[in-house]
Amino acid sequence: FGPKETPAYDELVEALLQQGRTDDAFWYAGRRRAAIVFHALGEFHPRPLRDSLRAALESYHRDRALVVGAERQLETTLALSSEDVQALTDIRAALRNGRVRLADEGAAVVARNPAYAPFVTIASPSIAEVQKMLPQGSALVHYLPTRRAMYALVISGRGATLEMAAAEKEATSALAAEFLDSLRTSEASESRRARELSGMLSAVFVRPIEGSLAGLSRLYVILPDNMPLVPLHALRRNSMQGTYLAERVLVEYLPTAD
């Protein structure tokens, strides 16, 4: 949900992956997704039963509206041909103060109930932090598509590995869309074409991480949100036979790593 077009983040993550800066790529990819969730949740105004938590959320939303208003005012002032230097100074000062208040109010909300963190913060855990959160016998795989490759960052208690499949994003999206369409009826899902699509998608998403699946009982998956969502659990190793991924490991899908 929320806006999926984030070219600045996408280009940065791709550049970091190509440079081998896996930790940084994971952090920025996580921040991108957290930002999408944050902006989507910003459309909602939850009203928890606890008075203190409700009051903290109301203060946060009130000051967030003031910050958004100041940002728009700054944009309008900068667009004017005759800039008002004093006005710009005052608006920027108001923005700085407002952002400080927002950070404090967001922390107050999280302190009262950590479950509300996505409503008030844009946070992204590091690889080391994810490793500490993972239950024994589990791993997290975060898929990071670029224009010409599908990267899979696998994190477990044993470490983190970066795998890659040579697969163009547009072509993979087309295969995924066709595969999802083939699952609409039981007859279509058992067709030869559906099995071919399953094998081709497995080569992109599952085959590169085969070495990391040994000994796992649970696999947490973060799929790309800017292409059709592939049901990894329903993929087979090859087109005509073989076990489904769900028969080998329990697959759970997550929106973000935290």
Side-chain angles (χ1 to χ4, degrees), residues 38-39 63-79 88 90-96 98-99 102 122:
F38 173 79
H39 289 299
D63 280 332
R64 185 184 177 198
L66 293 174
V67 168
V68 171
E71 289 173 340
R72 291 174 179 170
Q73 187 179 8
L74 179 61
E75 181 181 1
T76 300
T77 304
L78 288 171
L88 288 173
D90 293 342
I91 295 170
R92 285 174 172 145
L95 272 175
R96 284 194 298 271
R99 286 166 178 161
L102 273 185
I122 299 177

Side-chain angles (χ1 to χ4, degrees), residues 173-187:
S173 294
L175 291 175
E178 186 180 353
F179 181 64
L180 289 171
D181 190 60
S182 75
L183 299 179
R184 293 181 183 275
T185 66
S186 57
E187 182 179 355

Side-chain angles (χ1 to χ4, degrees), residues 84-237:
D84 186 331
V85 176
Q86 185 58 50
L88 288 173
T89 301
D90 293 342
I91 295 170
R92 285 174 172 145
L95 272 175
R96 284 194 298 271
N97 294 334
R99 286 166 178 161
V100 170
R101 287 197 306 273
L102 273 185
D104 292 341
E105 289 165 354
V109 169
V110 175
R112 286 170 172 79
N113 190 332
Y116 282 81
F119 286 90
V120 296
T121 60
I122 299 177
S124 177
S126 66
I127 289 177
E129 289 169 334
V130 170
Q131 286 179 298
K132 293 177 182 178
M133 292 188 286
L134 286 171
Q136 187 174 2
S138 68
L140 169 75
V141 56
H142 190 166
Y143 288 99
L144 303 170
T146 63
R147 286 164 290 184
R148 295 180 175 82
M150 176 67 73
Y151 289 88
L153 177 57
V154 185
I155 304 172
S156 69
R158 295 171 292 187
T161 59
L162 184 66
E163 309 295 345
M164 185 194 75
E168 293 189 356
K169 183 178 178 181
E170 290 188 8
T172 302
S173 294
L175 291 175
E178 186 180 353
F179 181 64
L180 289 171
D181 190 60
S182 75
L183 299 179
R184 293 181 183 275
T185 66
S186 57
E187 182 179 355
S189 64
E190 291 300 322
S191 68
R192 184 182 186 90
R193 179 56 178 168
R195 296 186 179 190
E196 290 175 350
L197 291 167
S198 176
M200 288 187 284
L201 289 170
S202 181
V204 175
F205 287 93
V206 180
R207 186 184 300 164
I209 66 170
E210 288 279 1
S212 301
L213 296 178
L216 293 184
S217 58
R218 188 183 303 265
L219 182 66
Y220 298 103
V221 176
I222 301 177
L223 288 168
D225 57 23
N226 51 7
M227 57 188 298
L229 301 178
V230 178
L232 298 194
H233 62 279
L235 298 182
R236 294 184 178 186
R237 282 178 172 168

